[in-house]
Amino acid sequence: MSKQTEGIKALVERRNGAKLGGGGKRIEAQHAKGKLTARERLALLLDEGSFEEYDMFKQHRCTNFGMEKTKFDGDGVITGQGTIDGRQVFVFAQDFTVSGGSLGEAHAQKICKVMDMARENGAPLIGLNDSGGARIQEGICSLAGFGEIFERNILGSGVIPQISGIFGPCAGGAVYSPALTDFNIMVQDTSYMFLTGPAVVKSVTGETVTQEELGGASVHASKSGVAHFSAASEQEGIATIRTLLSFIPQNYRQKAPDLPTSDPVGRVSDALNDIIPDNPNQAYDMYGVIGQIVDDGAFLEVHRNWARNIIVGFAHIGGKSVGIVANQPKVLAGVLDINASRKAARFVRFCDAFNIPLVTLVDVPGFLCGTQQEYGGIITNGAKLLYAYGEATVPKVTVTLRKSYGGAHIVMSCKQLRGDVNYAWPSANIAVMGASGAVEILCSKEINAIEDATQRNAVRDEKMKEYDELFCNPYQAASYGYIEDVIEPRNTRFRIARALVQLENKKQDVPARKHDNLPL
Amino acid sequence: MMILQQLGAVERVAQKAAHMADVDPHGLTLTLVSVCVVFGALLLLYRAYHLIGNFFNGKFAGRHKGKKDEEQAAAIAVALDRYINEECGGEEQAAIAAALHLYLEEEGVHDLESGIITIRR
């Protein structure tokens, strides 16, 4: 056997060994927990045969605590590039079978390399996290490694899409990388994110709490909003990542790919003509509206279970990827509160960063009142959404379906925030406030002066009717040019689709500055 | 002098009137009738042009169509009743009901759109 052949044989053997990670027993242990290995996740994520691995033979150089005796090829993370539906992506997947997926210097260097390559080549970065955290034996080098990763998350923010899949523990400082990325997908029952674990919580606060209760997928998907998606299984989580990518471009210079559809642009939806109840206080389901106007009824919702009074997500209309923001009248009457404002603001800014047009469906009676909201900073948080819409230079198409009152009207992509095309349904009420509140303010003296209760109610009703006729319709706004047109609900899909095509070449600037001072 | 002249003019008119009464006792009546005929004709013309204008503005369309719709709807209803009694399929009934709904739908309830995007990029 020639030396070359021997060398090739050694290479193949070493590569096969590296692919086993921590070995067969640890792989079995991973499976026993209901988790896939890092390589299995990558095989599901990427197109078959597309993955090229970098630094498969990289090892740590730590000699503390006898570490020089335990070296693994790859050092617990698999990095490289591949394709998803033919589109290049850069990936890293932490391997829990190798030192618990702990992050040391070499581990971090591998991740930083693919992060740099992703940014320089203008391709999305996808990280599959499954790690016990910092490698204690490497000391400050572990922390430095995290710092290098976080800095690259920051440099890549708004340049390339960054998606984090949490497929195991993600604790301590490690959580900040996913926190800095655009989207987090967590898996129920097997993934956790928290700064300090249950043991430390118990010792410091005396609170007894499980890992799931403290930082599980359901918690972060419904209470904190840290997780954008919560998947029932790793397979579902990975499928979500693939679907999510179909709506977003490779980088900030490109537009999202079109998705051809057989759903006609001119499709009318008679159901929309009847969806608004006659009773203004009766709720209806905004999902019904969204389902009618998007291509094939397909809508990928983000933050489905958090701040459910506002709906955000991706869809295609006329084949074009759009970001949809819509108030949900079925939850808290669609009011804006702290979480809803944050949720929508983050989404609007992502869409603006990556050239995804925004379609806003408005039915908002105002901001949620009360001390909890005021003490929690509804002012600042509401300002985030206002700022996000005002700053956005992507095409903005807004349709007011019913209520649009007061400050919430302004915040929800009104004309004055450089809304490009603003439509309203005939049922739209665009006003400072509703009739009952307005009459209480404007006519309280006159009404309270009436002694007879029946007559007082009659006068109040008359005043409310007068206010309704004057303000609670879209035509006052239309008369000032604050909306482009009043449209029949069943034509909404066509009007939005046409507006998006009209606005395709939109170019709009913001003043030159170092960076803004968004009210954080 | 002016008063005398005016008095003379009045006397001349009275003489002419008396002369006319002798020559043509029905003249006044005829004059009045003629005036009425002329103005009556003018009134009729005005009315005719007004109706023609309304016709071209479609103001009679609704009334006319509604009456036609009612008669035809009644005929369809009778035919449908006979058809139902002779055992017809549910799908056929649904199709007839849908066709009736579409036929009897009032004009102008929809804001029609072209449904076509003509921009080429």
Side-chain angles (χ1 to χ4, degrees):
Chain A
M1 192 185 289
S2 68
K3 278 190 179 175
Q4 186 75 323
T5 307
E6 284 177 11
I8 293 169
K9 191 177 169 192
L11 166 64
V12 172
E13 280 177 9
R14 187 160 178 181
R15 197 185 294 288
N16 289 338
K19 284 182 180 177
L20 285 178
K25 280 189 181 173
R26 292 187 183 174
I27 292 173
E28 282 174 19
Q30 183 83 337
H31 288 159
K33 289 181 217 166
K35 294 163 66 176
L36 299 173
T37 64
R39 291 191 185 276
E40 287 166 346
R41 290 166 187 152
L42 287 175
L44 280 175
L45 177 68
L46 302 171
D47 297 337
E48 190 175 345
S50 70
F51 182 52
E52 180 185 3
E53 186 173 354
Y54 302 141
D55 295 327
M56 180 185 256
F57 306 117
K58 192 173 179 83
Q59 297 177 346
H60 72 79
R61 52 184 180 174
C62 179
T63 56
N64 301 329
F65 296 98
M67 282 289 289
E68 68 278 9
K69 296 172 191 164
T70 48
K71 290 191 177 187
F72 289 94
D73 280 341
D75 202 39
V77 66
I78 300 157
T79 58
Q81 65 93 31
T83 62
I84 293 178
D85 291 330
R87 299 167 64 198
Q88 185 187 30
V89 295
F90 287 84
V91 296
F92 68 86
Q94 292 175 315
D95 188 349
F96 197 81
T97 64
V98 177
S99 303
S102 58
L103 187 140
E105 182 190 35
H107 185 125
Q109 284 173 344
K110 286 181 66 174
I111 294 174
C112 288
K113 181 185 281 188
V114 290
M115 292 179 84
D116 289 337
M117 291 180 78
R119 196 176 66 251
E120 288 160 9
N121 287 279
L125 174 76
I126 301 170
L128 306 183
N129 297 267
D130 186 3
S131 168
R135 194 172 295 164
I136 299 171
Q137 298 91 323
E138 296 200 30
I140 190 65
C141 292
S142 299
L143 296 182
F146 273 122
E148 295 282 354
I149 291 169
F150 299 158
E151 177 63 16
R152 280 158 177 81
N153 283 130
I154 293 164
L155 290 176
S157 179
V159 177
I160 51 169
Q162 298 180 83
I163 301 171
S164 297
I166 315 299
F167 292 95
C170 185
V175 299
Y176 285 119
S177 179
L180 289 166
T181 57
D182 298 306
F183 294 102
N184 295 324
I185 294 99
M186 292 186 74
V187 180
Q188 291 161 16
D189 300 324
T190 56
S191 65
Y192 312 100
M193 285 179 74
F194 35 68
L195 272 176
T196 47
V200 177
V201 167
K202 173 79 175 172
S203 68
V204 173
T205 69
E207 194 181 350
T208 303
V209 67
T210 64
Q211 280 185 325
E212 182 69 26
E213 289 166 349
L214 185 61
S218 56
V219 166
H220 285 307
S222 62
K223 289 190 185 351
S224 68
V226 168
H228 298 79
F229 301 95
S230 172
S233 66
E234 292 199 14
Q235 289 83 349
E236 184 183 315
I238 289 166
T240 301
I241 295 174
R242 288 182 64 98
T243 305
L244 177 60
L245 268 178
S246 69
F247 294 101
I248 57 184
Q250 290 292 95
N251 55 66
Y252 79 103
R253 287 194 212 91
Q254 295 183 10
K255 290 185 179 177
D258 287 352
L259 183 68
T261 178
S262 57
D263 194 355
V265 160
R267 169 172 56 80
V268 295
S269 306
D270 288 315
L272 292 181
N273 275 6
D274 299 319
I275 201 165
I276 302 287
D278 289 340
N279 182 350
N281 296 323
Q282 188 177 341
Y284 61 94
D285 195 350
M286 185 60 79
Y287 288 115
V289 179
I290 295 172
Q292 289 289 330
I293 65 173
V294 301
D295 290 351
D296 307 307
F299 176 60
L300 178 67
E301 188 174 4
V302 178
H303 276 140
R304 185 181 182 89
N305 292 317
W306 181 57
R308 290 168 47 240
N309 44 325
I310 200 161
I311 301 168
V312 301
F314 296 104
H316 289 95
I317 296 180
K320 302 197 182 303
S321 176
V322 297
I324 292 183
V325 180
N327 307 108
Q328 170 59 297
K330 279 186 83 169
V331 181
L332 294 176
V335 292
L336 286 175
D337 61 1
I338 290 170
N339 287 342
S341 301
R342 286 175 51 214
K343 171 178 167 179
R346 180 84 173 144
F347 183 76
V348 166
R349 294 197 91 221
F350 174 82
C351 290
D352 185 45
F354 291 102
N355 309 310
I356 299 171
L358 288 162
V359 173
T360 306
L361 305 176
V362 182
D363 186 352
V364 62
F367 281 94
L368 184 61
C369 58
T371 52
Q372 191 186 21
Q373 290 294 305
E374 296 295 346
Y375 296 167
I378 182 62
I379 294 170
T380 306
N381 288 287
K384 287 175 187 166
L385 180 55
L386 181 77
Y387 196 107
Y389 268 122
E391 182 187 41
T393 58
V394 288
K396 291 182 283 192
V397 181
T398 306
V399 184
T400 303
L401 276 56
R402 194 167 60 170
K403 302 186 185 89
S404 187
Y405 294 151
H409 160 73
I410 303 170
V411 165
M412 290 297 293
S413 192
C414 70
K415 184 51 98 177
Q416 287 69 32
L417 294 184
R418 302 195 299 181
D420 295 295
V421 176
N422 290 55
Y423 295 127
W425 286 6
S427 49
N429 291 347
I430 303 173
V432 174
M433 61 177 67
S436 60
V439 164
E440 283 302 318
I441 293 172
L442 296 172
C443 310
S444 59
K445 274 188 184 172
E446 181 187 341
I447 291 171
N448 292 335
I450 301 170
E451 290 182 358
D452 181 53
T454 310
Q455 195 182 353
R456 195 163 51 238
N457 288 336
V459 170
R460 184 183 288 113
D461 289 345
E462 186 193 326
K463 294 289 180 189
M464 283 174 59
K465 190 180 170 190
E466 187 184 335
Y467 184 90
D468 271 339
E469 284 167 7
L470 196 56
F471 293 113
C472 290
N473 60 76
Y475 297 102
Q476 219 212 7
S479 71
Y480 290 108
Y482 296 156
I483 58 173
E484 265 60 53
D485 201 4
V486 181
I487 63 172
E488 185 175 357
R490 76 175 200 166
N491 297 326
T492 303
R493 170 178 163 78
F494 171 66
R495 295 302 292 265
I496 292 175
R498 186 167 63 183
L500 290 171
V501 173
Q502 290 167 349
L503 298 168
E504 233 177 84
N505 290 340
K506 176 187 173 185
K507 287 279 184 290
Q508 198 172 50
D509 296 320
V510 288
R513 48 194 163 185
K514 184 178 178 185
H515 63 76
D516 58 49
N517 190 18
L518 175 70
L520 294 172
Chain B
M1 181 69 118
M2 277 180 69
I3 295 171
L4 280 174
Q5 283 178 345
Q6 281 170 358
L7 279 174
V10 168
E11 197 177 322
R12 279 198 293 280
V13 167
Q15 283 174 354
K16 282 182 181 177
H19 177 68
M20 187 176 171
D22 290 338
V23 171
D24 184 9
H26 301 292
L28 183 64
T29 308
L30 200 62
T31 305
L32 283 172
V33 167
S34 305
V35 167
C36 287
V37 164
V38 168
F39 280 100
L42 283 172
L43 196 66
L44 277 171
L45 274 173
Y46 163 76
R47 187 72 189 140
Y49 285 129
H50 186 66
L51 285 171
I52 290 169
N54 284 345
F55 174 77
F56 282 110
N57 286 337
K59 283 188 182 174
F60 294 116
R63 275 183 243 144
H64 177 69
K65 191 176 187 300
K67 194 178 176 200
K68 185 182 173 186
D69 279 346
E70 285 169 9
E71 289 171 357
Q72 291 184 338
I76 292 166
V78 167
L80 182 63
D81 182 59
R82 285 181 192 157
Y83 184 56
I84 288 170
N85 291 331
E86 292 171 15
E87 292 183 19
C88 69
E91 286 178 356
E92 290 166 339
Q93 290 182 36
I96 292 168
L100 269 174
H101 172 73
L102 288 170
Y103 183 74
L104 294 174
E105 204 173 19
E106 291 178 30
E107 279 186 356
V109 78
H110 289 304
D111 193 19
L112 297 176
E113 298 279 355
S114 67
I116 307 166
I117 295 177
T118 57
I119 297 174
R120 287 179 194 165
R121 296 251 184 242

